[in-house]
Amino acid sequence: MYVSAPPESAIVVGAGMVGLATAWHLQERGVDVTVVDRTGVAAGSSWGNAGWLTPGMAMPLADPSLWSYGPRALLDPDAALSVPFRWDAGLWAFLARFMRHATPGAWRRAMEALTPIDELALDAYDELVAEGVHADTHPARWVVGFEDEKQVAPFAHELAGVAAAGQEVPLRQVADGGPHLSPAVTSVWELGGQRFIEPGPFVQALAGAVIARGAKIVADATVTGVRPAQAGRRDGARVIVADHDEMAADVVVLATGAWLPELARRFGVRTRVQAGRGYSFTVPVEGEPVDHPIYFPARRVACTPYQGRLRVAGTMEFRRPQEPPRPRRVEAIANSVRGLLRGVDLDDRKDVWVGSRPVTPDGLPLVGATAASGVFVAGGHGMWGMVLGPATGRALAAQIMTGRIPEEIRAFDPLR
């Protein structure tokens, strides 16, 4: 890390929400930024996710229910949690560590570590919108539907754990879930204080703001290596990009999502990052459009308004990020909510997408300085990179510029 003077230039590797938010906040502090991405803006998990800005639900993925649900999921190819039945040493090593954190105590500790950044998440979005990112966040009623009262208890228990860690998460039962819930949904609740966005357009707007401030975004550029700066040298970090000239800057930020280990491992970042692939698609809605999110916790399916249609998202598939999409996963999501929605054609699917969310065993992101001078990482947010991305970028930029670690990312030390 530079200690003599703040950096004047930075290369951010990754043009998703986390990388671009970091770039934007570095620019706020006067840094000249270049963003490099193997594909382009919002090409990974920042495009097709549900677009939920739900700090009240940003909680550790590994929870005690996995000890009963996980073995059943292994035997059900259409379960919301999908693990391939094959020999993969890296995957099984990750799963062993992941399950070690599926205890009440580990979940509680991770939730306490996430709470400080959860509480800043919406404010960080408001800052971006107020300062020139031309996109909106949408406060809305948040409908949560269950087929019977027995399904309510696990969801309410999770939110009680979030509240115990210090967040206010209003949940109340309501009589009417709206015209798009079928009579099969017999118990309807509303979650307060949350928002949603159209994720791809928002990230594109953030990229536009970064470019307008003078940054260059280099797409179709695969980073194959990083050479850290030598102590005391400025403009000393080097980024090697396939089919491009070598790039140099004072600091480099690795924000490459599920691909983070490829570049970060040699700099002391040993925590495993596993791709937790999610799928989504959009479907048309008859009559009155859906103007609010709908969540079916027992089915683990999220529905969000998206450009006049309804985006339906779900599944957690532990596979390699580069593996081809599996159409059966899309069909399984659609089938899991058949009969729960009314006036929604689940067979007229468009915008079919798969994206790789970066999951860590302990449920905590990897944000901060690596063991190499001038090299930082920002990733490992699991399902919550969209909601926590702007707050992460703001905190990491502060650390890079001052050398002090903000309290909200202190528990996310990438060298832990």
Side-chain angles (χ1 to χ4, degrees), residues 95-130:
L95 289 173
R97 290 169 172 80
F98 186 71
M99 293 304 294
R100 282 207 297 268
H101 288 90
T103 67
W107 190 95
R108 184 175 61 255
R109 289 188 294 273
M111 189 66 247
E112 290 171 352
L114 286 167
T115 294
I117 198 168
D118 284 353
E119 293 180 323
L120 298 174
L122 297 181
D123 172 74
Y125 266 94
D126 290 340
E127 180 181 5
L128 292 178
V129 173

Side-chain angles (χ1 to χ4, degrees), residues 42-49 257-259 274-281 313-326 330 351-359 382-383:
S45 55
S46 289
W47 187 84
N49 62 83
W259 288 267
Q274 170 64 43
R277 305 202 311 174
Y279 289 76
S280 73
F281 51 88
T315 204
M316 176 61 72
E317 183 184 53
F318 288 143
R319 286 179 177 265
R320 299 185 185 96
Q322 68 271 22
E323 290 189 43
R326 300 174 64 233
V330 175
D351 307 311
V352 178
W353 169 90
V354 60
S356 295
R357 298 162 296 193
V359 180
M383 297 171 62

Side-chain angles (χ1 to χ4, degrees), residues 180 283-286 290 310 312 338 341-347:
H180 300 291
V283 292
V285 179
E286 295 178 5
V290 179
L310 187 68
V312 182
R338 289 189 193 277
L341 293 167
R342 187 161 49 188
V344 175
D345 187 351
L346 290 165
D347 295 315

Side-chain angles (χ1 to χ4, degrees), residues 16-323:
M17 174 59 83
V18 175
L20 289 170
T22 304
W24 191 91
H25 281 286
L26 287 170
Q27 289 178 307
E28 276 284 278
R29 293 170 173 267
V31 178
D32 180 30
V33 178
T34 298
V35 181
V36 182
D37 193 274
R38 68 173 67 203
T39 304
V41 172
S45 55
S46 289
W47 187 84
N49 62 83
W52 287 14
L53 303 189
T54 52
M57 292 176 61
M59 62 187 74
L61 182 60
D63 68 75
S65 69
L66 286 174
W67 289 104
S68 58
Y69 176 74
R72 297 199 308 270
L74 283 173
L75 301 175
D76 181 0
D78 294 329
L81 175 64
S82 175
V83 180
F85 234 0
R86 67 187 182 200
W87 174 245
D88 184 328
L91 172 61
W92 292 106
F94 165 83
L95 289 173
R97 290 169 172 80
F98 186 71
M99 293 304 294
R100 282 207 297 268
H101 288 90
T103 67
W107 190 95
R108 184 175 61 255
R109 289 188 294 273
M111 189 66 247
E112 290 171 352
L114 286 167
T115 294
I117 198 168
D118 284 353
E119 293 180 323
L120 298 174
L122 297 181
D123 172 74
Y125 266 94
D126 290 340
E127 180 181 5
L128 292 178
V129 173
E131 297 297 330
V133 176
H134 300 302
D136 294 317
T137 68
H138 306 286
R141 77 181 295 218
W142 205 275
V143 173
V144 186
F146 303 91
E147 293 156 80
D148 60 62
E149 290 293 336
K150 291 186 296 184
Q151 295 176 345
V152 179
F155 182 68
H157 177 73
E158 284 186 331
L159 293 187
V162 175
Q167 290 191 65
E168 182 180 352
V169 191
L171 181 68
R172 66 187 184 98
Q173 191 167 16
V174 297
D176 178 23
H180 300 291
L181 291 186
S182 81
V185 181
T186 61
S187 183
V188 182
W189 298 68
E190 281 189 1
L191 185 64
Q194 317 301 305
R195 308 183 198 174
F196 72 94
I197 58 172
E198 294 186 346
F202 195 102
V203 178
Q204 290 284 356
L206 177 55
V210 168
I211 292 170
R213 291 169 159 215
K216 182 180 181 181
I217 297 181
V218 183
D220 298 318
T222 299
V223 174
T224 59
V226 175
R227 288 201 295 271
Q230 296 178 7
R233 284 189 56 189
R234 301 190 62 78
D235 194 33
R238 296 289 192 271
V239 174
I240 298 92
V241 186
D243 301 320
H244 287 264
D245 293 336
E246 187 175 281
M247 300 179 182
D250 295 340
V251 297
V252 176
V253 178
L254 305 177
T256 52
W259 288 267
L260 189 64
E262 293 181 7
L263 296 174
R265 187 178 293 113
R266 64 183 292 253
F267 303 126
V269 182
R270 304 299 184 190
T271 299
R272 288 187 176 273
V273 177
Q274 170 64 43
R277 305 202 311 174
Y279 289 76
S280 73
F281 51 88
T282 66
V283 292
V285 179
E286 295 178 5
E288 181 182 346
V290 179
D291 62 359
H292 59 270
I294 302 170
Y295 181 39
F296 300 110
R299 306 289 182 159
R300 293 174 170 82
V301 172
C303 306
T304 315
Y306 185 79
Q307 299 186 351
R309 292 167 69 87
L310 187 68
R311 173 168 279 172
V312 182
T315 204
M316 176 61 72
E317 183 184 53
F318 288 143
R319 286 179 177 265
R320 299 185 185 96
Q322 68 271 22
E323 290 189 43

